[in-house]
Amino acid sequence: MSHPDYSLEQALHAQGHLRIAGVDEVGRGPIAGPVTAAAVILNPDAIPPGLNDSKKLTARRRETLDQLLRDSAEFAIAHASVAEIDEINILRASHLAMQRAVAALDPAPDFLLIDGNMIPAGLTLPSRAVIGGDARSVSISAASIMAKTRRDRMMVDLAQQHPGYGWERNAGYPTKSHKEALQNLGVTPHHRHSFKPVHNILYQEKYLSD
């Protein structure tokens, strides 16, 4: 099984790009909570071992790597809210979160490696979209890890305010128990109204009240 490495970054260094940020987002699939992005510039002399796509790592390993990255890398983490997701759609909201994370890096990077097949329209820096980037570039995998750990913590905090939906376990994804809780407990302010399981319940409630 292949692991991400620093070869994309090294090739860019050879072209004169010194501040290369990996950019990734998490949270496109959940029906609750924000979408979160991170932009990370690794220190080539202090790359934590074991970086990988955050989905391939245990929660404990992600937390360990997140702390190592906080100690060694430059990073910024940003979000797009549930209201923004419902207003402009999840793809554009995830791009907005990426733009915000990149904009928060100071000084700015001079090249971006972005996970996926699209470069967000609002990013004007030199960039490359890398399909499956979190399994190819350690900078992107670092962004994946930092975004996921931050978002997961946010969902644990929100779970304390809205118990019963299991957000501390499912991070807002539409698991069977989450959808059952949605039916039994109703829609919270942190649910995405434009997503089908939530939209259907809101429609049922409107239909019954009419």
Side-chain angles (χ1 to χ4, degrees), residues 26-204:
V26 297
R28 282 173 62 166
I31 57 174
V35 61
T36 301
V40 181
I41 300 175
L42 293 174
N43 177 348
D45 299 319
I47 299 175
L51 293 175
N52 206 338
D53 175 357
S54 63
K55 297 183 291 295
K56 297 178 181 177
L57 301 170
T58 64
R60 177 178 292 182
R61 185 64 182 145
R62 283 195 300 268
E63 288 286 348
T64 299
L65 287 167
D66 179 73
Q67 188 56 59
L68 291 171
L69 289 164
R70 287 174 181 278
D71 293 339
S72 64
E74 295 178 59
F75 66 91
I77 300 170
H79 316 277
S81 69
V82 166
E84 288 170 326
I85 291 167
D86 286 338
E87 182 180 349
I88 63 176
N89 78 43
I90 184 59
L91 176 62
R92 289 173 65 192
S94 66
H95 286 181
L96 180 61
M98 287 181 174
Q99 291 167 41
R100 287 171 173 165
V102 170
L105 286 173
D106 185 19
D110 56 31
F111 200 96
L112 307 175
L113 291 171
I114 301 168
D115 186 55
N117 61 0
M118 292 179 66
I119 295 171
L123 290 177
T124 57
L125 293 167
S127 305
R128 175 181 170 185
V130 184
I131 296 172
D134 43 12
R136 292 178 60 192
S137 157
V138 284
S139 296
I140 296 176
S141 60
S144 166
I145 290 163
M146 298 198 82
K148 181 159 179 59
T149 51
R150 174 67 67 86
R151 189 181 184 280
D152 284 356
R153 287 184 204 126
M154 289 179 67
M155 295 309 295
V156 169
D157 290 342
L158 289 175
Q160 312 308 309
Q161 302 170 36
H162 299 277
Y165 298 91
W167 292 342
E168 70 280 6
R169 298 184 305 278
N170 61 44
Y173 282 87
T175 61
K176 183 172 182 285
S177 61
H178 186 180
K179 289 190 283 188
E180 287 174 352
L182 199 55
Q183 288 281 359
N184 296 330
L185 302 174
V187 177
T188 74
H190 302 288
H191 278 104
R192 302 173 180 180
H193 290 193
S194 55
F195 279 49
K196 191 173 181 181
V198 182
H199 174 81
N200 288 350
I201 287 174
L202 291 169
Y203 181 82
Q204 289 170 10

Side-chain angles (χ1 to χ4, degrees), residues 5-18 20 42 44-45 47 111 113 128 136-139:
D5 60 29
Y6 202 62
S7 59
L8 291 175
E9 292 85 344
Q10 286 172 324
L12 289 165
H13 284 316
Q15 296 170 23
H17 298 291
L18 301 180
I20 301 161
L42 293 174
D45 299 319
I47 299 175
F111 200 96
L113 291 171
R128 175 181 170 185
R136 292 178 60 192
S137 157
V138 284
S139 296

